[in-house]
Amino acid sequence: MTTDKQLLITRFSKILIETMFQVKPGETVAITADTGSSRETIDGLAEATTAAGGIPLVMWMPKAEQSGQAGMKDWPAEALTAALCKVDVWIEAQSTVILYSDIWETAFKENDKLRYLIIADSSIESLDRMFTGFDIQLLKSLLSKVRDMAMACKKVHITSNNGTNVSYDIDLNYAFDIDDGDFSMPKFGTAPGFINIVPKLGSMNGTIAFDILEGAPRDGQIQFTMKNGSIIDVNGENGVEDFKSYLASFDDENMYKISHNMFGLNPGIKNITGELCEDERIWGGVDFGFGHTSAMDMPPYGQEAKSHFDGVVTNVSIYLDDIQIFDNGVVCHPDLVPLVNNLLTN
């Protein structure tokens, strides 16, 4: 391992464990990994946990064939669930993730102190861009203001120059989450830099033209036609039939349904890299997730599905009712511009 890579691992791990999770002496930090994970990054997280006075619990397992509920057959589910119901912190670093499986759902149901974060198999370079170089409180201020504006509207409308033109209705009973890098309290955490909205059931209509889509080639230029919250057609230049087969292989109608929409505002992410966790948070872009939705985000029952996948559109324009907040990837609302300038200059 190069010196530069070791420095990135050390910086990321220290910030995550000490500043973001604020791990206290005696706390148990579970780190789950599989044969596709970076051993150097896992070791760095464990060492940072020990340095903070915590107790690392590293659990390695085989790489599952599929993520979510579809991966249950490949994991030691009973033992994993028992352990995760007792820990203080869980960092999920598998290349095929447990997220949204019965293991994950049970851990959150039974462990009310759980502080969870998913980093999947992100490279250390990507993790460094996502988790370092910004002030948590300044990011919190920006994300909180955008969330408040979204909660005050009735309809979200998103367009892009590549052909996206889609809208959906707001349901205040569903999740309006932000992640700003503060994981010091019990929560379902993901990498910082977004506002997450669960659309009203059956309300999304229009076209989504992806710049990158999980399960499709990067040059595919895949487009979804959405009607009443579900994918009714898939078009594009490359990989369309393969992607249709991928979706059909789940034999699950809920895999075609919208799960959530994220507005990306991570100040360290300006370009698509092909690393999904990072791309979902690209500044001035949006992520659309499909399939499983936890009951935590869509009460009371959630949207059960065999798995979950995401796609990203860059440089979007976003309208909350008739109020524009993004213009081709640039934050343009006068109430938001000062918060952006403060974040980017400090």
Side-chain angles (χ1 to χ4, degrees), residues 6-7 28-29 57 71 76 172 195 197 256 258 282-283 285 322 340:
Q6 183 59 62
L7 288 173
T28 300
V29 177
L57 172 62
L172 293 176
I195 302 91
I197 302 171
Y256 292 80
I258 188 67
I282 190 168
W283 186 276
D322 295 325
V340 168

Side-chain angles (χ1 to χ4, degrees), residues 5 9 33-34 36-43 60 93 121-122 124:
K5 186 174 182 180
I9 290 173
D34 63 27
S37 305
S38 164
R39 185 169 291 274
E40 292 90 350
T41 300
I42 304 305
D43 288 346
W60 290 92
D121 59 348
S122 300
I124 188 56

Side-chain angles (χ1 to χ4, degrees), residues 13 22 27 72 145-146 171 181 207 221 228 266 269 302 345:
S13 298
Q22 300 179 31
E27 288 192 317
M72 284 291 290
K145 179 62 176 176
V146 176
D171 188 333
T207 301
Q221 300 185 26
N228 299 331
N266 186 303
I269 305 171
T345 56

Side-chain angles (χ1 to χ4, degrees), residues 15-24 27 88-89 112-117 136-137 140 179-189:
I15 288 173
L16 184 65
I17 296 299
E18 294 186 9
T19 303
M20 294 183 167
F21 273 110
Q22 300 179 31
V23 169
K24 299 175 178 62
E27 288 192 317
D88 299 288
V89 170
D112 58 9
K113 66 180 180 179
L114 184 62
R115 287 129 64 198
Y116 165 91
L117 172 69
I136 291 174
Q137 294 306 314
K140 185 191 296 284
D179 264 330
D180 49 36
D182 183 356
F183 308 121
S184 61
M185 300 296 289
K187 71 173 300 180
F188 165 22

